[in-house]
Structure formats: structure tokens, C-alpha cells
Amino acid sequence: MSFAHKIKKQTQPNTLIAVLNHLLASTIDFKLSAKQAHWNVTGENFIALHELFDEVSSKVDGYADMLAERSVQLGGTAQGTLQTVSSQSSLGDYPVDIHDGREHVMALSGEISVLADASRQGINAASDVGDMVTADLLTEITRGLDKLHWFIRSHLV
Ligand SMILES: [Fe+2]
């Protein structure tokens, strides 16, 4: 094996582990935003939104688990502490003073679209280094995020 090939083999997983951990932080952040919305939402669609936001939080929690365990499978350390999430998440601060269903729908819609875009970039990063299994995992997650985004934003029409 050439030296360059050796280096490539060593750096491929490390690059992807960083990508996965970055996505993990944003995913945990978003899961907490959905719970914040679940607890505080009010208005005429209360029950529908209260239940939808809980389902979103639970589905996204599953995605966080998939990301964390994949990074460990690649030889890394999953980074999911509160401090890491706070410093590494790509999402902005979720508003803590909103209650109206429409405001929560708009806030969650904005966050999940950032998360889905980051996940799509992760698919490209995994494909670029030839790790089609990680690309497949991220494709599954992105497909799920797109579906949840559709469920959320459909309340705006
Ligand atoms: Fe609850």
C-alpha cells in the first residue's frame, strides 16, 4: 500500500467522524427544540401540534442515536454532551418566549431545513470518500427529515 493511500485510509474515517459528530450536535439541538415546542404550544391546533412535535422529537432522537453509533463504528468517539451540542450545533437559539402554534411551526420549519441541508452535505462528504454505507445512513436520515419538515410546514397553509 502506498503512503498516500495509507494516509487516505486514515483520514477518511476521521473526516466522516467529524461530520457525523457535527450533525449529531445539531440533531440533539433540534430534538430539544421540538420538545420545547411540544411543551409550550397553545392555540386552536393544540392537540395536533402538541402530538406532532412530540413525534418529531422522538423520531429525531432516533436519528441522533444512528449518527452517534455510526461515528463509534468508524473508530471515533460520539460527542453528545450538553456542552458539545451547545458549541457545535449549526442551529441558532430556539426562541424561548413563543407559544402560538404558527410561531412554533415557523421556528421548527426553519431549524429542520438547516438540519436537512447539513445532512445532505453529509451524504456528499461520505460519497466523496467512498463510504457508501454512511452515505446510505445519512440518506435515510435526510429522507426522514424531509418527511417531518413536510408534516410541520403543512400547518402553515
Ligand atoms: Fe409530553
Side-chain angles (χ1 to χ4, degrees):
M1 185 187 294
S2 73
F3 180 70
H5 193 202
K6 249 188 203 164
I7 291 291
K8 201 173 175 212
K9 276 203 87 155
Q10 281 168 0
T11 52
Q12 277 174 4
N14 288 344
T15 306
L16 273 192
I17 289 160
V19 167
L20 289 166
N21 272 324
H22 199 76
L23 277 172
L24 176 63
S26 301
T27 302
I28 294 172
D29 191 356
F30 181 70
K31 167 219 149 86
L32 293 173
S33 297
K35 268 292 184 188
Q36 175 79 10
H38 165 70
W39 292 321
N40 290 297
V41 68
T42 58
E44 58 189 59
N45 288 324
F46 169 73
I47 281 294
L49 291 176
H50 179 69
E51 288 177 356
L52 172 63
F53 296 158
D54 208 24
E55 188 194 334
V56 168
S57 177
S58 155
K59 284 253 163 62
V60 168
D61 193 35
Y63 299 151
D65 211 50
M66 289 160 71
L67 293 165
E69 289 175 1
R70 184 67 189 162
S71 75
V72 173
Q73 286 158 29
L74 293 179
T77 304
Q79 303 292 352
T81 64
L82 181 65
Q83 291 73 21
T84 308
V85 169
S86 178
S87 66
Q88 294 293 306
S89 173
S90 303
L91 308 181
D93 291 353
Y94 194 81
V96 292
D97 56 351
I98 58 171
H99 298 87
D100 180 67
R102 199 177 170 83
E103 286 182 292
H104 278 298
V105 163
M106 284 170 63
L108 288 180
S109 243
E111 285 202 347
I112 201 169
S113 96
V114 170
L115 185 58
D117 281 352
S119 191
R120 249 176 270 283
Q121 286 169 26
I123 299 170
N124 294 336
S127 301
D128 285 349
V129 296
D131 183 344
M132 301 319 287
V133 177
T134 300
D136 180 63
L137 180 116
L138 292 172
T139 302
E140 181 185 342
I141 290 172
T142 309
R143 186 167 53 239
L145 291 172
D146 282 354
K147 188 173 178 183
L148 293 175
H149 189 191
W150 168 50
F151 281 3
I152 295 167
R153 73 167 184 264
S154 293
H155 286 270
L156 288 174
V157 182

